[in-house]
Amino acid sequence: MWQLIKKELLHILRDRGLLIFVIYAFTLDIYIASEGFNLIPENVSISVYDEDHSLRSRELTDRIKPPAFKQPDIINNRQEIDYLLNESKTILALVIPDGFERDLHRNSASVQVLVDGTQSSAAYLSSAYLNIIIEQYSNDFRMEMLKVNNITGLPSINTKSRICFNEEANDKLFEGINEFFMIVTLIGMILPASILIKEKEYGTIEQIMISPLSIQKLLLMKVIAASIFLLSMIGFSYEFVLSLWLGFRLKGTILEFLLISLIYSFATTGLAFIIASIAKRLSQIGLLTMAIFAPMLLLSGGWVPPESLPEWLRKLTVISPLKYYMDLGISLLIRGASLDLLLPNMIKLLILGAIFIAAGYFLYDRRIIKGE
Amino acid sequence: MAPPVISLRNISKKFKKVEALKGIDLDITPAEITGIIGPDGAGKSTLLKICAGVLSFHGTATFMNTDIRRHPERIKKYLSFMPQGLGLNLYMDLSVEENIDFFAAIKNVPDAERDRLKDQLLRATGLEPFRARWARRLSGGMKQKLGICCSLISNPEVLLLDEPSTGVDPLSRRQLWEILNGFITEKGTTLILTTSYMDEAERCHSVRFIHDGNVLFSGNPEELMREEKDLEDAFFKMLLAGKELTTYDIPFRNNVSKNGSIAIVISGVSKHFGSFKAVDDVNLSIQHGEIFGFLGPNGAGKTTLLKCVLALYKPDKGSIRIMELQSGSPELRKTVGYMSQIFSLYGDLTVAENIELYGAIYEIEKKDLKERMQWVIDVSHLAGMEDTMVGKLPLGIKQRLALGCSTLHLPSVLILDEPTSGVDPVARRSFWQLIRLLSDKLGMTVIVTTHNLVEADYCDRIAIMNEGKVIAVDTPENLRNEFIHHSGDVYEIYPETGLDAKIFSERQIEVAPFGRRYHIWKKGLSENEIKALMDSHKIGYRFIRTIPPLMEDVFIYFLERKR
């Protein structure tokens, strides 16, 4: 038995392309995703057309500064705004109209903000940020005026937020872990699928079929070997990439997380069987994996919160194993939930995994082993 | 002597790190058939593509005084090139006639000329009744004949054919050669072809034996065939270069004895794929310890039949019993060994790891495994290379290792599917020697398939297969004798000068040109009659001798008799 597991592990370790991809995915890719994705606007290019040329208009302009925005680009006519927006040279344009200062002193001044909506989320975020700056300025101006007139004691609400679980509100943590789950999913499908199809591509499967070794036993060894490799990579990435390199303070123990991942690997292995029965060649595995991964991701809540999905799609989220894995993983790693709290979802994931394995094996048996 | 049509000097070609050709000099004589022969991977196709001007290279190559590298487009109107693979140059959704018309159109053949030649070619190839059939729906042999028609329609000065008869049935092959020989004699076409069949090389006027990217021999087959009966023997000796073929022994014994009893019975087996009858009502029995060969072209149903025996396919009709057990019985799994066409070794495991794996699969005990592993390594010449990745081994060695792995558990029945395709004569002979040893010493029953008819003589008995049917079963000797009995002895004549084959055919004597020689036969024809005939036409000759009939002719004889 050990001979057979060793054989499968050697296949994996000697497939240089696969190995490089797996190592990259579990290290650099997670690092880049975590460091690179940023939900707070940074270095947004902005242009300001100041018609007023007053003290107040300059004060407002001065508040727009890095790191959220680039140093504003001061322009001198309206046509230039159109040009810059059309050429995507600026995302935001602030127009401070003539008489801004005068109107401000008369209680109500307005400015115009033009936004390039092509990249809707970036546009939304950065214009909201600009709104806050303008609001803050208008607030400060009001306070200044009140001070000048010696009025104090006006009522106001002061918000005090406390963030639980991810105390630093570190979106690197969420992004990094999110990416980590996706990588586990991808490799969890690609790895078993490719060792399943290789046997067919080499033509060695026939040799096994006529030998005393039962094909089911061989498949089991393949699955065990793939799981051993996958879990070692998960453990490695948890310790060295998430904890050490990215410096995340993860809750829950590594063993608890590996247990969840093991349960999840049943589901991905089932999907790998489906992929390996459909794929004609090794090269088709990547495409088929993407075809399964994309809807799984959409339904998982990793990119879009399930709450913002349409009703009928939201109902379908129960069949995405990634949803459970993400729920479990986030509960454990970020929220530090104990295993008994996680149990219901673990059981659901186990059931889903059993269904996928049964379906995948059925398909593989019919299409590959019986050769229909 | 006429100046060469194509002249290559110091040609080399590298594919990444692999040197396909290592500085080759080659001249092609006009109006002759030049055969480029050698095992798979020797560089034959590469050489042909360079002649056709479709591949870059180092060195100088001229085609009728044109520099091929500098002006590859200038030579194109003089030549036709047919790539390797059945029907690869054809358009599968065009009919036979449309395919020919297309090739005529791109070569600017006038319509009248095209129609005349087209009729002639279609008649000669027997494709006449299929004019309107789509190329997709032709059999392998028909596709190949159509491919050659398409190459010939432009009446090229030079015709380049890459493995034209691989996968073609003997009857189509004979027709192909008739057309080709006709073009050479009538139109003075120069023909260059590649082949890995030695019996085919004997049909060429001149041969170039390529081995490992070098030319080992360049000249007329007759030069080699004075001492040796055939080219296979000649090249075998050349490759060995005076050394002896290593012989082996088997240090362990099996308790199976050869006693002439029946090991395998195949009764009424048929297997269909859709409407295609791959195996059609096959009945035969194979004895214990016999080396039994299935001979036939690609697509004859050999592999399908083997897979039925192995229970990898379930036959639609009939039954197969092995050692008195139904095929597919779990008990048989330990007593049957199988080596598939693609060798079933793991390329990313080392030699030792592969052997150990098979040991584990067949649950061989440690002590036995150690002994047998040593034997496998010895016969595969792999001592000291136990840790080499199998994927990096040359074909011939891989083959022996695969044989070793499939016999590791000392099976009573060993099934080998095309074990020797694509190897050189030395590897082939040494492989067969090994099979013989397994049969003699361990009493293994060996079943082998081959599309190389030359290999018939290595078997105790053979079954000739065509289109799913077994058309004859017997020892190769008996089959030949039956041919001789009905068709007379086969004579090989080597005339001093060219002769008109009509002098034979008008006397109902079968005649087939083989380079500068002719094979002729007719029932009751004696050597004296031939000598008298030659003298009456005043044709001198170097020799007239009887030869054993070629398996290809035997094959066709039984095919026709069956019909």
Side-chain angles (χ1 to χ4, degrees), chain A residues 144-195:
Chain A
E144 195 187 319
M145 285 300 109
L146 292 173
K147 222 181 216 168
V148 169
N149 296 323
N150 272 325
I151 301 171
T152 50
L154 277 181
S156 73
I157 298 175
N158 215 344
T159 321
K160 300 254 182 214
S161 311
R162 292 278 180 276
I163 300 172
C164 299
F165 306 126
N166 178 7
E167 288 83 355
E168 300 149 49
N170 179 0
D171 52 291
K172 287 181 181 172
L173 177 63
F174 182 73
E175 288 303 327
I177 286 183
N178 224 351
E179 185 71 12
F180 181 56
F181 295 151
M182 291 182 203
I183 293 301
V184 171
T185 311
L186 276 178
I187 305 298
M189 292 195 282
I190 290 176
L191 191 69
S194 62
I195 60 175

Side-chain angles (χ1 to χ4, degrees), chain B residues 171-373:
Chain B
L171 205 57
S172 300
R173 209 163 119 179
R174 186 188 270 184
Q175 283 174 331
L176 279 184
W177 277 101
E178 277 168 14
I179 306 172
L180 293 175
N181 278 317
F183 257 81
I184 311 293
T185 37
E186 283 166 34
K187 318 223 169 182
T189 313
T190 306
L191 171 61
I192 310 168
L193 62 90
T194 64
T195 180
S196 49
Y197 299 117
M198 292 298 170
D199 54 341
E200 195 153 84
E202 290 176 20
R203 294 173 180 268
C204 301
H205 293 103
S206 130
V207 293
R208 309 283 181 270
F209 185 57
I210 313 270
H211 194 82
D212 277 344
N214 290 310
V215 180
L216 274 198
F217 173 80
S218 167
N220 302 342
E222 288 78 12
E223 290 172 34
L224 291 171
M225 291 173 65
R226 236 165 278 155
E227 285 170 46
E228 310 298 337
K229 268 259 152 93
D230 53 38
L231 278 183
E232 173 95 12
D233 275 339
F235 287 125
F236 170 72
K237 293 235 166 94
M238 199 178 287
L239 282 174
L240 267 188
K243 280 179 280 178
E244 290 280 311
L245 190 63
T246 332
T247 50
Y248 307 96
D249 195 16
I250 297 182
F252 35 88
R253 289 288 172 267
N254 206 4
N255 47 9
V256 188
S257 61
K258 282 191 184 189
N259 55 9
S261 62
I262 301 298
I264 297 168
V265 184
I266 299 173
S267 36
V269 168
S270 296
K271 175 75 188 170
H272 303 219
F273 294 106
S275 62
F276 174 65
K277 276 186 186 176
V279 173
D280 191 3
D281 192 26
V282 170
N283 289 286
L284 49 89
S285 50
I286 298 167
Q287 293 168 7
H288 271 296
E290 195 172 31
I291 299 182
F292 191 91
F294 284 98
L295 252 72
N298 292 350
K302 308 182 299 289
T303 299
T304 309
L305 184 62
L306 283 198
K307 287 192 174 175
C308 287
V309 171
L310 288 162
L312 287 170
Y313 289 156
K314 197 179 174 310
D316 296 319
K317 257 192 272 169
S319 72
I320 298 165
R321 296 187 71 80
I322 305 165
M323 322 294 271
E324 278 150 19
L325 288 165
Q326 194 65 37
S327 89
S329 306
E331 296 95 317
L332 281 176
R333 291 184 162 199
K334 282 204 162 187
T335 54
V336 175
Y338 169 52
M339 174 178 153
S340 73
Q341 253 170 43
I342 37 174
F343 302 155
S344 8
L345 294 169
Y346 294 92
D348 56 352
L349 298 183
T350 66
V351 171
E353 282 162 355
N354 263 291
I355 301 175
E356 278 165 10
L357 179 67
Y358 276 98
I361 290 175
Y362 283 96
E363 293 160 359
I364 299 168
E365 285 188 31
K366 275 244 163 67
K367 194 174 87 15
D368 289 344
L369 182 62
K370 212 177 152 201
E371 188 187 41
R372 290 178 207 169
M373 185 164 174

Side-chain angles (χ1 to χ4, degrees), chain A residues 1 3-4 6-8 10-12 14-15 198-199 201-215 217-218 222 369-370, chain B residues 307 310-313 330 332-334 336-340 342-350 353 356-358 360-363 389 406:
Chain A
M1 189 169 129
Q3 271 288 343
L4 292 169
K6 180 179 136 194
K7 152 186 178 277
E8 299 303 336
L10 287 175
H11 285 325
I12 299 171
R14 285 181 186 160
D15 186 337
K198 259 190 214 160
E199 199 81 38
E201 232 179 30
Y202 289 159
T204 39
I205 198 148
E206 288 185 343
Q207 197 78 38
I208 303 289
M209 277 155 77
I210 64 132
S211 76
L213 175 70
S214 80
I215 200 94
K217 191 170 168 192
L218 178 80
K222 284 184 183 297
I369 302 177
K370 302 228 172 76
Chain B
K307 287 192 174 175
L310 288 162
L312 287 170
Y313 289 156
L332 281 176
R333 291 184 162 199
K334 282 204 162 187
V336 175
Y338 169 52
M339 174 178 153
S340 73
I342 37 174
F343 302 155
S344 8
L345 294 169
Y346 294 92
D348 56 352
L349 298 183
T350 66
E353 282 162 355
E356 278 165 10
L357 179 67
Y358 276 98
I361 290 175
Y362 283 96
E363 293 160 359
M389 291 292 160
S406 55

Side-chain angles (χ1 to χ4, degrees), chain A residues 5 8-9 12 187-193 195-196 219-233 265 269 272:
Chain A
I5 297 179
E8 299 303 336
L9 284 174
I12 299 171
I187 305 298
M189 292 195 282
I190 290 176
L191 191 69
I195 60 175
L196 283 171
L219 294 180
L220 182 66
M221 297 306 141
K222 284 184 183 297
V223 170
I224 291 175
S227 303
I228 290 176
F229 184 71
L230 182 68
L231 290 179
S232 338
M233 283 313 295
S265 77
T269 304

Side-chain angles (χ1 to χ4, degrees), chain A residues 9-60:
Chain A
L9 284 174
L10 287 175
H11 285 325
I12 299 171
L13 293 175
R14 285 181 186 160
D15 186 337
R16 204 181 293 167
L18 185 71
L19 201 62
I20 289 173
F21 174 63
V22 171
I23 290 173
Y24 161 78
F26 271 110
T27 54
L28 212 57
D29 182 76
I30 293 172
Y31 181 79
I32 292 168
S34 165
E35 290 290 315
F37 274 129
N38 214 335
L39 297 178
I40 302 165
E42 235 175 78
N43 268 328
V44 176
S45 52
I46 182 166
S47 326
V48 175
Y49 175 37
D50 184 359
E51 287 182 318
D52 199 33
H53 294 293
S54 60
L55 170 69
R56 295 300 173 189
S57 73
R58 278 186 206 117
E59 258 181 14
L60 176 59

Side-chain angles (χ1 to χ4, degrees), chain B residues 45-93:
Chain B
S45 294
T46 309
L47 194 58
L48 209 61
K49 283 182 189 157
I50 287 172
C51 291
V54 293
L55 202 65
S56 66
F57 56 90
H58 291 283
T60 27
T62 46
F63 182 102
M64 303 201 276
N65 299 324
T66 307
D67 186 328
I68 295 182
R69 189 182 12 222
R70 224 173 293 158
H71 308 289
E73 71 291 345
R74 274 193 211 165
I75 64 171
K76 281 184 184 151
K77 61 181 159 194
Y78 300 110
L79 60 82
S80 281
F81 171 56
M82 193 175 75
Q84 194 175 342
L86 293 181
L88 225 61
N89 58 340
L90 301 177
Y91 293 89
M92 289 298 160
D93 42 12

